[in-house]
Amino acid sequence: MKTKIISKKGAFRLIETAGERMPYKAIKYLRDHETDEEIIQRIVKYLKIGYNWNHPDNNIDAALWYGIVAENHLDLRMVDAIIELFSKDKYIDIDSLNEQASYLVYKLCEKFGDEAIEKFIDTIEKMLPTEYRCLYLTDCIYFADKEKYGEQLLRLLDNPNTGDILFVATTLANANFTNVVPRLKELISIYEKEEKKDWYAGELEEAIVAMTQKDWQQPYGETQKDWQQPYGETRKDWEEHYRHQINNTPVHEQMQEMKERAKVIAKERGEEFNEDLFPDVKPQKPTHIRRNDPCYCGSGKKYKRCCMNK
C-alpha cells in the first residue's frame, strides 16, 4: 500500500519515524508546501538536537530529512541551528548530515549575506584551535567581503597546528583572498620540515598556483574552476543527489566505521583514542516496516526472518 501524504502533520510523522529509509514523499510534500512557522520550527528543532545523544528527541535521520526540506524554507534561525549542530561535545561524523548542513550554509549565506556570514566566520574562528568540524561551515568564506573580513580570516592561519587549518587555508585561496598568500608561503616552509605534514605543503602550493595562474589545470584534468568551486555549487538537485547517495547503510554501521577510522587517525597522530566520543547507537526500528522489507538491523535478511519477533 502506497503512503499518501495529505497533511503537514502526516509528513512530520513520517519524517520523524522513517528511520534510515528516506521518506521521499514526505520530504517532497514539505518542500513544496508554502513556508510557515510550523515547518521552520520543526527544521530548526531537529537541526539543533542532531548529535545531541542525551536529548530525548534526538533523531539523526530526521535531522537529515528536515535539512533537505530546509532548502525551500530558508530562515535566519537556521544559522544558529547549524552552528549548534556542530558544537556538540559528543559529535559524530555522519557524512550525509554534515554535507547537507554544509549545503545549507551555502544557501543561507547566499540569501542572507552578512547576517549569516558573520556568524559562521565567528564560529570557525572559535572552533578552529581545537576542533575538526568547522570545515562544514567554510562555504561562507566564498561570500565574505574581502575588505570587511580579510584580516579576521587571515588570523585563522596564525597557528599552523590547529584543527582544520589546511582546509581553511585552501578555501581562502580558492575564494581568492590574495592577502593570505604570504602566510601560505610561511606555512609551506613550516610543513616542509615536518615529516607527517610535508604533504600539507604540496596542497598549499597547488592552492597558490590555482589562485594566481590564469587557466590553471592539473595533469589529470581538474581545472581552476573545479578547484575553486564551493561545495554548494557542486551538489546536484536534491532528488538526484540523494537517490544515488543514500545507500541504506544503517547509521549504527556508519558510526562503527567512523569509530574504526578515528582509531587509525589517533594512532597515526600519536594521540590517545577517546572511546567516550563514540557512544553506542543501536539500530532504530522504523514505525512502518513490512514483513518482507529488508531488516532495519542491516543483516541483509528480510524483517520477518530477522528481528520481527525480537
Side-chain angles (χ1 to χ4, degrees):
M1 181 178 178
K2 294 184 177 181
T3 304
K4 185 176 181 181
I5 312 296
I6 59 173
S7 67
K8 279 191 304 180
K9 186 176 180 180
F12 291 153
R13 184 173 61 252
L14 281 174
I15 282 179
E16 291 159 26
T17 60
E20 298 157 11
R21 181 170 296 182
M22 187 178 198
Y24 171 78
K25 290 184 179 179
I27 292 171
K28 183 168 175 52
Y29 178 91
L30 291 177
R31 280 178 61 96
D32 294 342
H33 197 284
E34 183 179 354
T35 299
D36 64 27
E37 188 64 18
E38 196 174 8
I39 292 175
I40 291 171
Q41 286 185 3
R42 217 76 171 204
I43 293 167
V44 168
K45 172 187 174 180
Y46 280 92
L47 286 176
K48 278 187 173 183
I49 65 176
Y51 296 132
N52 185 347
W53 308 101
N54 296 320
H55 196 287
D57 293 332
N58 174 59
N59 188 330
I60 288 179
D61 301 305
L64 172 58
W65 309 141
Y66 277 122
I68 301 170
V69 172
E71 295 174 24
N72 280 10
H73 303 285
L74 297 173
D75 185 274
L76 201 54
R77 285 168 286 181
M78 294 174 194
V79 173
D80 290 327
I82 291 170
I83 290 171
E84 190 168 337
L85 173 71
F86 290 121
S87 299
K88 304 296 189 302
D89 291 336
K90 291 190 175 182
Y91 162 82
I92 301 294
D93 200 12
I94 303 296
D95 289 343
S96 296
L97 178 55
N98 294 342
E99 290 178 2
Q100 182 60 33
S102 182
Y103 184 69
L104 291 177
V105 168
Y106 178 89
K107 301 301 289 185
L108 288 163
C109 290
E110 183 179 53
K111 180 170 182 176
F112 297 110
D114 277 344
E115 290 181 283
I117 296 165
E118 186 171 349
K119 284 189 173 184
F120 285 132
I121 290 178
D122 287 346
T123 302
I124 293 172
E125 187 171 23
K126 181 180 177 182
M127 280 186 173
L128 192 60
T130 57
E131 306 295 347
Y132 287 86
R133 63 187 84 159
C134 62
L135 67 93
Y136 299 108
L137 305 179
T138 53
D139 262 19
C140 67
I141 292 173
Y142 291 92
F143 294 93
D145 180 85
K146 292 175 174 60
E147 185 173 340
K148 180 174 181 179
Y149 295 101
E151 288 301 315
Q152 183 182 10
L153 290 169
L154 181 60
R155 288 200 303 271
L156 299 179
L157 307 182
D158 283 351
N159 186 341
N161 299 312
T162 54
D164 286 316
I165 189 170
L166 179 62
F167 195 88
V168 171
T170 53
T171 301
L172 286 167
N174 296 343
N176 287 309
F177 275 82
T178 54
N179 67 312
V180 306
V181 172
R183 179 55 181 162
L184 294 185
K185 291 180 178 178
E186 291 174 1
L187 290 172
I188 288 170
S189 297
I190 294 170
Y191 294 140
E192 283 177 336
K193 299 173 184 176
E194 297 184 32
E195 185 177 346
K196 289 186 177 180
K197 290 187 176 179
D198 55 353
W199 66 275
Y200 279 30
E203 291 284 323
L204 295 181
E205 286 172 351
E206 286 186 355
I208 293 174
V209 170
M211 176 170 46
T212 57
Q213 293 187 16
K214 188 176 180 182
D215 298 327
W216 168 86
Q217 183 169 335
Q218 285 201 353
Y220 48 83
E222 187 177 41
T223 65
Q224 187 177 40
K225 182 178 178 182
D226 295 329
W227 180 271
Q228 295 180 326
Q229 273 189 311
Y231 173 73
E233 290 182 5
T234 64
R235 214 200 73 176
K236 303 173 182 177
D237 171 78
W238 76 276
E239 293 177 85
E240 184 178 356
H241 179 75
Y242 282 102
R243 285 292 178 88
H244 289 84
Q245 182 164 320
I246 301 297
N247 60 6
N248 293 324
T249 302
V251 167
H252 66 283
E253 288 186 13
Q254 292 183 46
M255 291 182 65
Q256 185 60 36
E257 291 175 9
M258 297 297 176
K259 184 176 181 178
E260 295 305 316
R261 189 169 71 183
K263 285 182 179 178
V264 172
I265 293 172
K267 185 176 180 180
E268 288 175 350
R269 293 177 178 163
E271 300 172 352
E272 185 178 349
F273 176 69
N274 187 350
E275 193 85 30
D276 292 339
L277 293 177
F278 294 85
D280 291 331
V281 176
K282 295 180 180 180
Q284 296 181 3
K285 179 181 177 181
T287 302
H288 305 288
I289 184 169
R290 294 170 295 188
R291 289 167 52 84
N292 291 317
D293 286 342
C295 190
Y296 64 90
C297 75
S299 66
K301 300 178 182 179
K302 291 184 178 182
Y303 176 55
K304 67 182 180 182
R305 303 285 185 192
C306 193
C307 295
M308 188 171 81
N309 296 319
K310 293 183 180 179

